[in-house]
Amino acid sequence: CVTASEIMENFDQLIEDVRTLVDYDVDGVILEAINEDLKRHMGATRHHHRWQIAFKHNLETAEVEVLQVTAQTSRSGRVNPVAELEPTRLSGAMISRATAHHYGMVKKLGIGPGTIIELTRSGLVIPKIERVIIPSKPQLPARCPSCQSELIWDSDYLYCPNKSQCPAQIENTVEHFFKTLANVDGFGRKTIEKLHENGIDSVYEIYQLNMERLQEMGFGEKTAGNLMDQLERSKSEPIEDWRFLGAFGIHRMGLGNCERLLQHFPLLDIFNRTMEDISGVEGFAEKTSEAVVLCLKNIQQDFSRIYQLGFNLLRTPLVADQADAANQSPIFN
């Protein structure tokens, strides 16, 4: 327990001291603010406390050859490069793949078959290309690996413009919905792919299925029954409205931002809000607000159809309602 200035002055030694306090391997150190007022001010996201941060050493590296760069299309249409590597043991794990982040990086650094890279494990977990040692001809796709549509550049990124028919975009969007709801089982990747092969292109269409239709697709009676039960469960079990909104995969709207937005506007009201309204919410800058308004417009029809299926949504308390309740409390009288 030391002051911030002491940490800055003796950082390396303090980290080393912590590592020697126990008789087992330590993969990192957590730095934590302990002043209660400061912790409240810094707050937290749905993912982590802002008053804690991990520091980890990436001491072990390896020189690895890239075998090829594989393209993968995300639910947003962005095509992401994955470097397929000569299998290499690093920090106790066998590594054979690493993200190359975006195709602008692939093009600029020369990442393709035969490239030699320096590989680390970020946080001793995620394989990371630290630098390119020997570049080669970059491997850049011309067409979407999922639907074969011609790709377009947007800054450093390659995109598939075929949003309505690209299998990868459709399947990843459906998978994201059920994964974010987190109250339904059975709708994993294989099930979603099978549904899509049989003409099911959206979350709404999945909720229109029945036992007979599922069995026609090749699902057994028991599996079909379980899937129908899970769909009913996903609607009947209470779920936070911010989680329901987050399931639609709005650009720049993680679960924390969804909750923050719904603390200021009711769920159905957000589709009527302007960029100026949303930028007035803490944490929403002008560019984020502009992107959110555009995405809300794009999903409004799908949202409305799915919302009307009757999900059991728990409303996020509005900041204004909480303030009114506090003002009416006896402590203020």
Side-chain angles (χ1 to χ4, degrees), residues 52 54 78 85 148 173 182 221 266 277 291 297 301 320-321 333:
Q52 288 180 323
R78 192 166 83 187
L85 310 172
Q148 298 305 306
T173 296
E221 182 178 354
D277 292 333
K297 182 179 179 180
Q301 184 176 356
D321 291 347
N333 294 335

Side-chain angles (χ1 to χ4, degrees), residues 45-281:
T45 69
R46 282 276 157 194
H47 182 265
H48 65 278
H49 298 116
R50 291 197 181 96
W51 40 268
Q52 288 180 323
I53 191 168
F55 175 81
K56 295 188 176 185
H57 279 293
N58 291 321
L59 299 177
E60 190 176 350
T61 64
E63 293 186 10
V64 182
E65 181 181 356
V66 175
L67 302 179
Q68 65 176 350
V69 179
T70 301
Q72 295 182 340
T73 305
S74 70
R75 61 185 171 85
S76 69
R78 192 166 83 187
V79 180
N80 300 312
V82 177
E84 308 285 350
L85 310 172
E86 185 71 37
T88 304
R89 183 164 291 280
L90 184 64
S91 301
M94 187 63 73
I95 308 299
S96 60
R97 310 178 93 206
T99 179
H101 298 295
H102 52 71
Y103 273 101
M105 174 178 166
V106 171
K107 186 176 181 180
K108 179 181 178 181
L109 299 182
I111 302 176
T115 298
I116 305 299
I117 64 169
E118 181 181 354
L119 185 70
T120 65
R121 292 182 70 197
S122 180
L124 301 182
V125 177
I126 302 171
K128 177 186 177 185
I129 298 174
E130 194 69 25
R131 65 189 178 97
V132 170
I133 300 172
I134 302 176
S136 65
K137 183 180 179 180
Q139 191 172 8
L140 304 172
R143 296 187 175 276
C144 172
S146 180
C147 68
Q148 298 305 306
S149 295
E150 188 171 347
L151 300 178
I152 57 175
W153 283 97
D154 183 0
S155 186
D156 282 329
Y157 299 93
L158 276 174
Y159 281 90
C160 170
N162 185 20
K163 292 188 177 297
S164 62
Q165 294 178 309
C166 177
Q169 294 187 59
I170 292 170
E171 292 166 10
N172 287 331
T173 296
V174 172
E175 184 178 19
H176 176 80
F177 182 88
F178 287 112
K179 186 179 292 185
T180 305
L181 283 192
N183 68 351
V184 54
D185 296 322
F187 288 87
R189 189 68 184 187
K190 294 297 182 183
T191 298
I192 292 169
E193 286 177 356
K194 189 170 183 176
L195 291 172
H196 186 226
E197 288 169 2
N198 284 275
I200 304 300
D201 293 339
S202 68
V203 170
Y204 180 77
E205 289 178 312
I206 289 177
Y207 278 96
Q208 304 308 302
L209 292 171
N210 54 37
M211 282 284 293
E212 182 180 0
R213 181 78 174 94
L214 285 170
Q215 288 180 276
E216 288 174 357
M217 294 179 185
F219 292 98
E221 182 178 354
K222 184 175 180 181
T223 301
N226 287 337
L227 290 176
M228 293 303 301
D229 290 343
Q230 288 298 316
L231 290 175
E232 287 304 314
R233 172 192 168 197
S234 70
K235 292 190 294 182
S236 62
E237 282 193 3
I239 183 173
E240 303 91 342
D241 56 1
W242 51 260
R243 183 178 294 280
F244 181 75
L245 178 62
F248 288 86
I250 302 168
H251 184 49
R252 299 195 181 187
M253 286 283 284
L255 295 182
N257 268 356
C258 287
E259 182 176 23
R260 196 172 296 114
L261 189 64
L262 295 185
Q263 287 172 341
H264 291 80
F265 310 113
L267 179 60
L268 297 184
D269 186 39
I270 62 174
F271 295 95
N272 302 317
R273 293 297 168 176
T274 64
M275 186 185 78
E276 289 74 20
D277 292 333
I278 293 176
S279 63
V281 177

